[in-house]
Amino acid sequence: MQPNNVFNVRRMQLYLQKHFTDHYRFYGMGMLVIFGLMTGIAVLMILVARDPFRRMSELVPFYYIGLFLGGLLFTSRAFNELGSKEKGVDFLMLPASQFEKFITLFLISSIGYLLFYHISSYLSFKIIEGAQLTALNQKIERNYDFLDNPKEKVYVYYGYVILQAAFLLGATYFHKYSFIKTVLSVFIFGFALWLINCIIVTLLFGFGQEFWKRSVPFLLVAKQEVGPSSWHSTVYLIPEWLQNTYLFTIKFVIAPVLWTIAYFRLKDQEI
């Protein structure tokens, strides 16, 4: 049993080496572009506009944009070999199981990207702060905690993991223009959910006041009523047990389900 496990690890290492050999230009250029944009735009704003960043929270939008845009772009190219017959045959015939290939690309596009991105973000912040100290003699106040104060910020990362899983699934379905096609698919899926919510809210509350315009899908509905001197709203919220079910699903169910579907989709691939 043990020699077989070692052999499997060795095969994954060989596949990882081949993957980086085939894609090092794309990864290298992509990393440089993300790091350069994060750093260059902020430094130019300091040097040209002479407008300092007084607080870290002013730089946070750069961080989140890079996290989502870069991570989803990288993920959408996970199985782009399958878009070409020659490369697809080479990919499927490699001496590694589909599970080993899937795990390798999953680790690269998830943990690998997050590790690189956060190292780059830290270096970018230090460069921006150094440029600001040199040009304007002003430090940046550390006023932003990414996973705390409030703790709800952690749901940004849950959202990222779910979207990353969706784009990994999209990469197994769309081998050409995967990013654009997956964005469109996510939009259509979200629009369909919104329509279903509108129908449910209308059936429950009627057509009179268009309650669907004042609702958070599958979470709450606000009813506006005229009082003696002003308008007031009555908010109808789903039960607490259903809220907890939503949170559990967001945290622990959606992404693993999408990863599992992506694996079986890859396993069934044919050229």
Side-chain angles (χ1 to χ4, degrees):
M1 188 72 179
Q2 186 175 1
N4 189 44
N5 289 336
V6 173
F7 178 67
N8 289 338
V9 172
R10 179 58 179 165
R11 286 193 305 188
M12 289 181 66
Q13 290 175 340
L14 291 173
Y15 175 66
L16 182 63
Q17 291 173 3
K18 183 183 187 308
H19 180 79
F20 274 114
T21 301
D22 293 341
H23 297 86
Y24 74 92
R25 289 188 180 89
F26 168 74
Y27 286 132
M29 290 296 295
M31 291 174 181
L32 285 174
V33 167
I34 293 171
F35 178 76
L37 287 175
M38 288 174 59
T39 309
I41 293 175
V43 170
L44 283 174
M45 290 173 66
I46 293 169
L47 299 179
V48 176
R50 311 296 290 182
D51 185 17
F53 294 97
R54 294 174 176 82
R55 292 172 294 275
M56 182 184 285
S57 57
E58 296 174 7
L59 289 167
V60 167
F62 293 97
Y63 166 82
Y64 285 128
I65 291 171
L67 175 66
F68 279 84
L69 184 60
L72 300 182
L73 274 170
F74 271 86
T75 302
S76 68
R77 289 182 55 88
F79 305 105
N80 69 315
E81 295 98 335
L82 298 174
S84 165
K85 186 173 183 178
E86 294 76 13
K87 292 181 180 179
V89 170
D90 182 52
F91 175 83
L92 295 175
M93 296 300 292
L94 284 171
S97 69
Q98 297 294 71
F99 180 74
E100 291 165 352
K101 296 171 188 174
F102 178 80
I103 288 295
T104 301
L105 293 175
F106 167 74
L107 293 175
I108 291 172
S109 61
S110 57
I111 297 175
Y113 177 77
L114 288 175
L115 180 62
F116 154 77
Y117 183 73
H118 286 92
I119 292 174
S120 295
S121 297
Y122 175 77
L123 293 176
S124 178
F125 175 76
K126 300 302 289 185
I127 292 172
I128 293 168
E129 186 177 48
Q132 183 163 298
L133 277 171
T134 302
L136 305 175
N137 194 30
Q138 184 170 337
K139 295 189 70 173
I140 300 175
E141 177 189 350
R142 270 76 160 176
N143 72 320
Y144 195 90
D145 296 321
F146 286 91
L147 296 177
D148 202 357
N149 190 29
K151 292 184 180 298
E152 285 77 10
K153 290 174 187 173
V154 74
Y155 286 98
V156 173
Y157 297 94
Y158 284 123
Y160 170 77
V161 171
I162 290 172
L163 279 176
Q164 192 269 343
F167 274 74
L168 189 66
L169 175 60
T172 65
Y173 276 93
F174 311 120
H175 306 142
K176 293 182 178 179
Y177 311 110
S178 174
F179 181 79
I180 296 173
K181 291 178 180 179
T182 306
V183 168
L184 182 61
S185 299
V186 170
F187 173 79
I188 293 173
F189 179 75
F191 183 70
L193 289 179
W194 177 77
L195 283 179
I196 293 171
N197 174 77
C198 291
I199 293 171
I200 294 173
V201 170
T202 302
L203 291 175
L204 290 175
F205 293 92
F207 292 87
Q209 301 184 37
E210 297 181 322
F211 288 99
W212 56 270
K213 290 183 178 180
R214 300 185 299 276
S215 68
V216 177
F218 305 103
L219 184 62
L220 64 85
V221 177
K223 180 180 180 182
Q224 290 186 337
E225 298 173 317
V226 181
S229 58
S230 63
W231 288 82
H232 69 276
S233 296
T234 302
V235 176
Y236 297 90
L237 191 64
I238 62 173
E240 186 176 354
W241 67 267
L242 192 52
Q243 296 178 45
N244 293 332
T245 302
Y246 282 179
L247 290 177
F248 180 84
T249 302
I250 290 170
K251 289 180 178 180
F252 306 114
V253 177
I254 298 178
V257 167
L258 293 175
W259 291 331
T260 303
I261 297 172
Y263 165 65
F264 282 105
R265 170 65 183 170
L266 179 65
K267 190 176 179 180
D268 294 336
Q269 284 292 332
E270 295 180 358
I271 300 298

